[in-house]
Amino acid sequence: MTHHRFINDILKPWDELNLLLSQQYAFQPDLSDITRLAGSIAVSIRHQVDSSELNDKQINELSRAHQIISDAGDYWKHGELKKEERNSPITVAAAFEYREDKTFRFIRNIVTIEHKSLGSHDFMAASSEAARFWMSQNGYSLQWEGVPSVAPFVYNNAAKLKFNPKYCFSMSSVQLKFFKMTDTEGLIPFDPPNVRFEVYE
C-alpha cells in the first residue's frame, strides 16, 4: 500500500469520522454512519498486515492497538467469529458533562469497541494509535494530528441531541454517557441525580 492509499483509506476517513463525532447528533448505538465509518477504518487498518513481512501473531505482539482494531474489523466484516474471545462489536454513545447547576454540555459522541477478552476501548484513540504504528512500520513520514475532537463549550438545561436521517436512517434508541469535571482528575464518569434529555429534528 502506498502512502497515498494509506491517507485515502485510513487517515482521511478517520478525520471525517472525528469531525462527525464532535457534532451534536443522535445515533442508533449499533447502526449508523458512525459505525459504518468506524468499521471501514478498522477493516483498512486490519489489512495493513497483508503487505507486511510479519504475520498476525507477530504484529499483535508489537501493537496491542492493532490487535484490538484488527479484531473489531474482522467482527464488523464477518459477524460472530470462530474464536469468541476476539468478538468486538462497535457502538456509539453521546457523552455529556454534567454541572452542579443542573446544566449539560455535549462533549462528543464516543465510539467504543467492546472487545470480548481485552475490554472496552475508545475506537478513536485505539485506531489513531494503530494508524501511527503502521505509519512507523511502513516508513511514512506524514503530518497527521489524529487527536479526538470535542464540541464547543455550550451548556444547556437539558442533554440535547439532533436527529438527522442523513447520518442515521432509523433510530429506536440512543446511548448516553455522563461525566463530571473535577479539579484533580478532569472529566470522570458520573451518574446525575436527574437528567432532562431531548432529541429534536
Side-chain angles (χ1 to χ4, degrees):
M1 176 180 283
T2 66
H3 74 281
H4 289 107
R5 181 70 182 270
F6 189 89
I7 293 170
N8 185 76
D9 292 359
I10 296 173
L11 302 189
K12 186 174 182 290
W14 193 99
D15 288 338
E16 291 169 349
L17 176 57
N18 193 32
L19 178 61
L20 181 55
L21 290 172
S22 66
Q23 299 181 46
Q24 206 159 340
Y25 289 127
F27 297 102
Q28 176 75 18
D30 59 343
L31 192 65
S32 69
D33 274 14
I34 297 294
T35 50
R36 178 180 57 80
L37 287 168
S40 178
I41 293 167
V43 170
S44 292
I45 290 175
R46 191 267 177 275
H47 283 295
Q48 289 298 299
V49 73
D50 296 346
S51 56
S52 172
E53 295 180 354
L54 304 176
N55 59 35
D56 285 324
K57 185 175 183 297
Q58 291 169 319
I59 292 296
N60 289 345
E61 289 174 352
L62 289 172
S63 173
R64 176 58 62 89
H66 169 81
Q67 181 181 357
I68 292 165
I69 295 299
S70 175
D71 288 349
D74 283 347
Y75 184 87
W76 174 257
K77 189 174 181 179
H78 304 293
E80 293 288 326
L81 302 173
K82 290 182 180 179
K83 292 184 177 180
E84 186 180 348
E85 66 272 16
R86 295 184 61 226
N87 285 335
S88 310
I90 297 171
T91 60
V92 60
F96 289 89
E97 177 193 353
Y98 173 80
R99 294 200 302 189
E100 293 298 337
D101 62 1
K102 299 180 181 178
T103 57
F104 300 85
R105 172 179 72 91
F106 175 72
I107 302 171
R108 69 180 175 111
N109 277 291
I110 297 176
V111 182
T112 302
I113 300 170
E114 296 291 350
H115 198 287
K116 182 72 174 180
S117 58
L118 299 177
S120 297
H121 299 270
D122 185 315
F123 175 86
M124 299 305 283
S127 58
S128 177
E129 184 180 341
R132 292 183 193 285
F133 167 79
W134 282 109
M135 287 164 64
S136 176
Q137 283 290 115
N138 295 329
Y140 298 153
S141 180
L142 302 171
Q143 296 297 318
W144 181 61
E145 204 168 290
V147 177
S149 59
V150 297
F153 278 61
V154 177
Y155 291 88
N156 295 288
N157 62 355
K160 297 182 179 182
L161 292 173
K162 182 177 181 179
F163 176 71
N164 187 336
K166 175 183 177 181
Y167 301 114
C168 185
F169 71 90
S170 176
M171 190 178 73
S172 60
S173 66
V174 63
Q175 286 185 359
L176 305 177
K177 293 183 178 182
F178 294 95
F179 298 83
K180 183 178 180 180
M181 184 65 74
T182 66
D183 293 334
T184 56
E185 301 176 76
L187 288 170
I188 61 171
F190 183 73
D191 186 14
N194 294 290
V195 175
R196 182 178 178 185
F197 174 58
E198 298 177 6
V199 175
Y200 62 96
E201 294 188 26

